[in-house]
Amino acid sequence: MKIARVLVVEDESAIAELISINLRHNGMLPMLAGDGVAAQKHIDEVLPDVILLDWMLPGQSGLELARRWRADPRTKTTPILMLTARGDEPDKIAGLDAGADDYITKPFSTQELLARIRAVLRRRAPEQASDVVRIGGLQLDGSTHRVSFNDQGIKLGPTEFKLLNYLMHHAERVHSRSQLLDRVWGDHVFIEERTVDVHVKRLREALGDAGSMVETVRGVGYRMTGHL
């Protein structure tokens, strides 16, 4: 079985070493970096299976690094778990907006951290549609990873693309947040349902005039419809 490589980007050596020891004890291979430069060197040498990324770092912040790695084709699908002392809702949303898949607020228990790492490593791949699906003027091509509305290209992040892909292939059905987490993200046990709301908001913004096709069903979840 493949040993999971975990890149730990943390400038507090005591925390980094504690995480490293626990990762090793649980059959994972940690790679330590104290800043973005060292982290990028590791990534250039060997692509990690998951990145634990501290928010507050010398030089580039964790948010800046997350945005950079999400924009890089080589790392855009690598799971990023943000480590942060910032527990406020706007800060959590900022972390998700920057491209983090999940976040964990310090101080955290070792068991919680390991559980969240295992969760992102276990995530099933979303439904990989290679066909073209159309709803009204909205079109998604799974093979080329392109989305357009009325023949105008739309740029989506990887998570928003997966979310739209699933919604369009299951149009007119109402999906709860937990169902979307399960189908789009995979194992949703350690991911907050608020994550879905953040990505739906980003999806709607990216879709522009077509954003209203993603409907909120109050008290239930979301639905993709052909009505604008």
Side-chain angles (χ1 to χ4, degrees):
M1 191 170 90
K2 182 176 181 270
I3 296 176
R5 294 177 180 270
V6 182
L7 175 57
V8 182
V9 191
E10 168 63 70
D11 64 320
E12 294 186 45
S13 58
I15 295 176
E17 189 57 34
L18 179 62
I19 293 173
S20 177
I21 290 169
N22 282 283
L23 290 175
R24 284 198 180 92
H25 285 173
N26 285 271
M28 302 179 201
L29 180 61
M31 302 180 291
L32 302 184
D35 57 28
V37 174
Q40 188 64 53
K41 185 177 179 182
H42 278 298
I43 289 172
D44 290 343
E45 292 173 355
V46 181
L47 190 65
D49 296 294
V50 61
I51 299 172
L52 299 185
L53 180 59
D54 188 32
W55 180 304
M56 301 296 289
L57 291 168
Q60 283 190 298
S61 71
L63 286 181
E64 292 172 307
L65 291 170
R67 290 192 189 99
R68 187 216 299 177
W69 292 332
R70 278 293 169 262
D72 186 335
R74 189 162 175 265
T75 50
K76 72 177 183 179
T77 60
T78 302
I80 296 175
L81 180 61
M82 187 78 78
L83 305 177
T84 174
R86 299 164 178 259
D88 292 341
E89 188 79 358
D91 292 320
K92 291 180 178 181
I93 293 172
L96 293 170
D97 278 347
D101 295 88
D102 199 2
Y103 46 80
I104 181 167
T105 305
K106 299 176 183 178
F108 50 80
S109 73
T110 300
Q111 289 307 310
E112 181 185 7
L113 178 63
L114 290 169
R116 287 180 184 250
I117 292 171
R118 292 191 190 102
V120 295
L121 289 173
R122 280 199 309 265
R123 285 176 189 170
R124 298 184 299 274
E127 297 186 3
Q128 297 294 331
S130 58
D131 59 327
V132 175
V133 58
R134 296 181 185 87
I135 299 177
L138 188 63
Q139 175 176 302
L140 180 146
D141 188 332
S143 60
T144 62
H145 242 249
R146 287 181 176 151
V147 176
S148 62
F149 180 62
N150 293 338
D151 297 322
Q152 296 296 313
I154 295 173
K155 184 178 179 181
L156 294 181
T159 301
E160 286 72 43
F161 183 89
K162 295 174 193 173
L163 180 59
L164 181 62
N165 179 36
Y166 181 76
L167 289 172
M168 289 185 71
H169 278 85
H170 301 84
E172 302 300 339
R173 301 181 195 173
V174 180
H175 306 277
S176 69
R177 291 168 178 81
S178 63
Q179 286 173 331
L180 289 172
L181 282 170
D182 193 32
R183 299 298 183 183
V184 177
W185 281 260
D187 188 327
H188 65 272
V189 175
F190 296 102
I191 304 173
E192 295 184 17
E193 292 189 359
R194 173 64 174 156
T195 301
V196 175
D197 298 331
V198 171
H199 285 289
V200 167
K201 179 175 179 288
R202 287 171 60 83
L203 174 60
R204 283 173 171 155
E205 290 172 350
L207 290 177
D209 292 340
S212 60
M213 295 171 71
V214 181
E215 295 182 342
T216 298
V217 181
R218 190 173 296 278
V220 183
Y222 297 102
R223 171 176 56 209
M224 188 81 200
T225 178
H227 305 295
L228 288 174

